[in-house]
Structure formats: structure tokens, C-alpha cells
Amino acid sequence: MDAQADDVVDTALLLEEAASIGNLSRALLNVARNKGAAGVDGRSVEEVVESARTLLPKLRRSLLSGSYQPGAIRRVWIPKPGGGQRGLGIPNVVDRMVQQALLQVLEPVFEPTFHDSSHGFRPQRGAQTAIAAAKGYVQEGFDHVVDIDLSKFFDRVNHQRLLGRLAQRIEDGRVLRLVHRMLKAKVVLPEGTLVSTTEGTPQGGPLSPLLSNVVLNELDWELDRRGLRFVRYADDFMVFVRSERAGHRVMASIQRFIEGRLRLKVNPDKSRVDRPEHLHFLGFTLRRCGDGRIEVHLSQRTKQRIDDRVRELTPRTWGGSLSSCMDRLNRYLRGWYGYFRLCTEQGAREFERIDAHIRRRLRAIIVRHKGRRPRYLFRHPLSRDVPVGPAARTAYGRRGVWFQSSTYGMHRAYGNAWFYNRVLTLMQQWELDHPSSTWVSSRQLDLFGE
């Protein structure tokens, strides 16, 4: 039993709380903030919001009477970074609102029972707390990691085991029946086929992350009972041990528990025991410096992903204005940096390489725009006070746009400082966020080179 399962929470009338007009209104507001696409019924978030005055009382009555039936879920496939596809389920907007309303009353019930080493989809927790905990374990000398990959976790959750875990904390059987109906909602595939659901919790609904934590909370407390140090974020988790031999022993025993008790499947091809610097966790990797400090770096997979995305956002054949290209690049970079600013001093040096790559790609677009004829490209650097020699070498080079973008003439015409107020500079932003850092980029104000 969970260590904190003795906390008493009155859940006998939980459905009344979930179906109250105030709770439903707050749920609709949260769904509207998240926006999102329409479900199978085609109703947009805006349409549902406009009909809220009449919709909410009807929805409340149907929930309390037990007549509410969730609609089918629209399945979409998105590419996974490592190859393959991940299925997302998009419920109708009203169904998302009901799931959100349930989440708002169920989260306070289950949150006290969750383990401290669980960081995903929880209040006041996230990637930052997960990485901090992992750093602490490696710093203590637990520098071998058991990395276990759960194969198609969200598709393989056993409904009866999940409902049994929910029933341990929820007295109101009506809520359990409502969750069961949501789990059983049929799925419409992209080609229009309607399929039944016998297991799994579809990714894409507001309630799914909480249900995944309820399922894996049993694993968390089992690891705790064994005295193991671990960090879990949703279905990504790592166990920290002192030796490779201990790691293989722990992996074998955990796999038996996951497959035998939880009825889930471990992917042996993606599970391994290794050093933290070789593993990808939430986009990061941990490395020990010579002085013993643990630094947070971008993982190799993350570096490849941002390089690919920047390439997509800055095609050399870009036909729009340079400012529109930089605007959409900035939108992506702001979101990306908001997450990956967790990198520590040594790890953040990779930002400088990314910044240089972005600037070169933008210079390549300028060359393409201005250089339809060599003489046009020659005149443009001259108009930006570039000497004749460098301007000529830029314009009349025979090695193509990519080479021209890195010439001294283009660097002189569009130095690093020109980009600072136009494109989010990751390294500059990191230094602003870490004023106490002992390292300051020697090239931050270099106007000519990368």
C-alpha cells in the first residue's frame, strides 16, 4: 500500500463536485486556454464556448443522471523523433471539458499518494525538478543508470487494474463508471474506421496524464520499498545504482515486476544499463566535470532535433520576407529555450553553436534574395559599408550559396550584432538568465566571425 494512502479524503459525492457549474466553467476555461483541434463531431473550442450558457446546465444534468456518453475519439498519427509514429487521441471539445472537470477533482485526491520521485504532470514539478533529482543521485556516486523503456505504455494500460487503483481512493462509484466509459470510448482512425478500445489510455485528453501516474504509482512505491533511487517523468524513468553489475540485477527484477504485476511490456531493444553521459533523459544528458560537478548538457538526440527543425524553418528557397522567416523562427526558439534553459554552464556552450548555425542559414537566405545576379549581390554588401574586395569575393564566388553565406563580406554586412535584436540569441538569453555564471562568451560581441 502507498505510504500516504491513509490520508482520508471524502469522495462519496465526488460526481456532484465534478459536475458543479463552477467546476465545469473552470474546466471549459482551461480547455479554451489550451485551444486544440476539434474532435470527431467537428465542434471547435470557440463554438463550445459560445454555447456555454445553455450547454453547462444540460451537461451537469446528464452527468448526474448517468446518461452522459463520451463521443468517439479522433486518432491522429504524429512522427516520433526516433522514427515511427505515435498515436494521439483527440476527444470532442465537450468530452475534453468533462475530462478536465474530473481532473480538477481527482488530482487533489491522488496527488498526496504520489511518490516524491514522480515529476511528470504534477503541480510544482516538471523537467526541472526531475533533472535536479537525477543530478543529485549522480553527484552522490550513483553513476550507473538503469534506463527502462515501456513499450507503447499508453496503449497497453490494463483497464481493470487502473479502475481497481482508482477505487482504492474513490468511494463514488458513479465517477468510476464515468472514467470507465471514457476509457472504452471508440476510436476513429484517419481512414474513417471505427474501432473498439479494450485497453490503454489515449494520449491527448486532459485526464490521461493523471491516469498514467495512478498506474505507475504502484511501480514507484515498489522501487521505494526496495530502497532504490529513481526519477520518473510520466512513462520515462531511470533507476540510479553504483555499479553496472547492480544495474543489470535491478533491471531484471524490475522487468519481472512490470510485466508480471503491472501487465505492461518492457522494450528490451531500448532498455539498457549505462553511464548517465550516454543516456537521453527528457532531452538532456548528465556529465561529470573534472572538479566533480555534474553538468547538464543537451543530449545528442536533442541537438539533432533542433538542427533539423531550424533547417525546416530556414529553407534556402524561402520565398517570403526575411522578417517573416525570423518571426516564425523566434516563436519556435522561445518555446525551445523555455524548456532547455535548464542546461548548466558547460552544457550551455552548445547554444553558441546553434546560434551560429541559425545566423549562417539566415545569411544564406539573404544571399539567395539579393543574389539573383552576381552584380546585385556585389552591390548589396557595398551598400552596407563592406570593402570592394570582400564584397567581390562574396558575390563572384563559384562555390554556391552556402559558401557565400560564410564569407567575410557577408559577416561584415550582417554581423552577429545585427541579429541580436531580430532573432532570439540562445547564448545571450542564457547569460541574462544566469548573471552569476563564471563563464562569459568571448564571442558574444564579435561582429565578424562565429
Side-chain angles (χ1 to χ4, degrees):
M1 181 63 95
D2 301 344
Q4 300 183 37
D6 293 334
D7 297 344
V8 176
V9 179
D10 184 7
T11 58
L13 298 176
L14 201 60
L15 187 60
E16 275 75 10
E17 183 180 350
S20 68
I21 295 297
N23 191 58
L24 290 173
S25 299
R26 188 156 58 95
L28 179 57
L29 180 61
N30 285 324
V31 169
R33 283 174 181 162
N34 292 332
K35 298 179 181 179
V40 174
D41 65 359
R43 295 184 70 186
S44 67
V45 173
E46 291 76 15
E47 290 178 83
V48 173
V49 170
E50 288 176 3
S51 64
R53 186 181 294 275
T54 57
L55 170 66
L56 294 185
K58 290 181 182 178
L59 185 59
R60 170 179 166 75
R61 288 193 295 271
S62 67
L63 287 169
L64 293 177
S65 67
S67 61
Y68 168 79
Q69 292 292 333
I73 296 173
R74 182 163 66 91
R75 171 64 57 88
V76 296
W77 298 100
I78 60 173
K80 295 172 68 174
Q85 292 182 315
R86 174 183 289 114
L88 288 183
I90 303 179
N92 295 330
V93 176
V94 173
D95 295 334
R96 293 209 296 271
M97 179 175 63
V98 174
Q99 287 194 32
Q100 179 65 36
L102 279 177
L103 173 67
Q104 289 164 186
V105 299
L106 291 178
E107 190 172 68
V109 174
F110 285 95
E111 179 61 28
T113 73
F114 292 152
H115 197 279
D116 285 343
S117 293
S118 168
H119 298 266
F121 309 110
R122 295 183 60 191
Q124 310 304 317
R125 290 170 179 265
Q128 185 169 3
T129 57
I131 295 297
K135 275 181 64 180
Y137 292 142
V138 177
Q139 190 77 63
E140 292 172 14
F142 295 87
D143 51 4
H144 285 78
V145 181
V146 181
D147 180 18
I148 297 181
D149 182 82
L150 297 179
S151 178
K152 298 181 179 179
F153 165 72
F154 286 92
D155 295 333
R156 287 183 167 149
V157 170
N158 183 278
H159 289 175
Q160 294 308 315
R161 292 204 85 257
L162 170 56
L163 291 169
R165 298 294 289 181
L166 293 174
Q168 291 178 3
R169 300 284 292 177
I170 299 175
E171 299 176 47
D172 194 335
R174 298 170 299 170
V175 171
L176 297 175
R177 288 191 291 274
L178 178 58
V179 172
H180 193 205
R181 285 199 294 271
M182 290 177 171
L183 292 173
K184 291 289 187 182
K186 293 187 177 181
V187 175
V188 178
L189 300 180
E191 63 271 20
T193 306
L194 187 67
V195 297
S196 299
T197 304
T198 58
E199 61 180 2
T201 61
Q203 290 178 268
L207 193 57
S208 184
L210 176 68
L211 297 181
S212 69
N213 276 334
V214 170
V215 170
L216 292 176
N217 193 42
E218 187 175 357
L219 172 63
D220 295 342
W221 287 104
E222 176 63 20
L223 297 176
D224 178 86
R225 187 186 68 79
R226 300 181 185 189
L228 296 171
R229 292 160 175 80
F230 68 97
V231 176
R232 183 175 67 80
Y233 189 100
D235 60 329
D236 291 331
F237 74 99
M238 291 182 167
V239 182
F240 296 80
V241 295
R242 291 191 183 275
S243 69
E244 184 177 357
R245 182 178 178 182
H248 287 294
R249 185 176 66 250
V250 166
M251 173 174 280
S253 65
I254 293 176
Q255 182 171 353
R256 286 194 297 269
F257 178 84
I258 290 172
E259 296 183 345
R261 181 73 175 271
L262 301 184
R263 303 182 192 177
L264 298 172
K265 181 71 174 174
V266 172
N267 186 340
D269 296 330
K270 294 184 179 180
S271 302
R272 57 179 172 152
V273 179
D274 211 331
R275 295 276 189 173
E277 60 266 24
H278 300 146
L279 295 174
H280 167 100
F281 182 55
L282 303 180
F284 301 96
T285 190
L286 304 177
R287 298 181 189 175
R288 187 182 294 276
C289 298
D291 59 4
R293 289 182 299 109
I294 307 301
E295 290 278 346
V296 180
H297 290 248
L298 300 178
S299 72
Q300 196 60 43
R301 199 185 308 174
T302 297
K303 296 176 192 176
Q304 186 62 53
R305 286 178 190 173
I306 187 171
D307 286 348
D308 292 344
R309 185 61 179 143
V310 166
R311 197 174 295 113
E312 292 172 6
L313 292 171
T314 57
R316 278 179 248 169
T317 56
W318 177 255
S321 66
L322 183 65
S323 61
S324 64
C325 181
M326 291 189 291
D327 285 344
R328 72 174 193 161
L329 184 62
N330 279 331
R331 286 194 294 271
Y332 171 73
L333 291 176
R334 277 192 290 269
W336 187 92
Y337 175 79
Y339 181 84
F340 287 103
R341 62 183 176 183
L342 299 182
C343 284
T344 49
E345 189 170 295
Q346 295 297 319
R349 295 191 181 192
E350 184 65 23
F351 291 173
E352 200 169 38
R353 181 200 66 80
I354 297 170
D355 289 333
H357 181 63
I358 290 170
R359 289 192 290 265
R360 184 170 181 182
R361 292 199 63 83
L362 291 173
R363 289 185 184 113
I365 291 175
I366 296 172
V367 169
R368 177 74 71 176
H369 282 184
K370 304 297 183 182
R372 300 195 192 311
R373 297 284 188 276
R375 65 177 180 272
Y376 298 157
L377 183 58
F378 173 64
R379 293 170 188 165
H380 184 67
L382 290 178
S383 69
R384 297 187 62 81
D385 299 324
V386 176
V388 172
R393 284 190 287 274
T394 296
Y396 296 104
R398 300 283 184 179
R399 296 173 62 180
V401 171
W402 189 240
F403 175 79
Q404 290 172 309
S405 68
S406 66
T407 60
Y408 174 79
M410 282 303 297
H411 280 255
R412 179 70 180 266
Y414 295 92
N416 295 357
W418 186 86
F419 290 97
Y420 284 162
N421 293 326
R422 293 173 172 85
V423 180
L424 177 66
T425 303
L426 301 174
M427 191 66 249
Q428 182 188 45
Q429 188 62 51
W430 188 91
E431 290 180 349
L432 290 173
D433 291 343
H434 300 80
S436 60
S437 172
T438 58
W439 175 65
V440 178
S441 169
S442 62
R443 294 182 291 183
Q444 181 74 23
L445 298 177
D446 177 12
L447 301 181
F448 306 113
E450 302 294 1

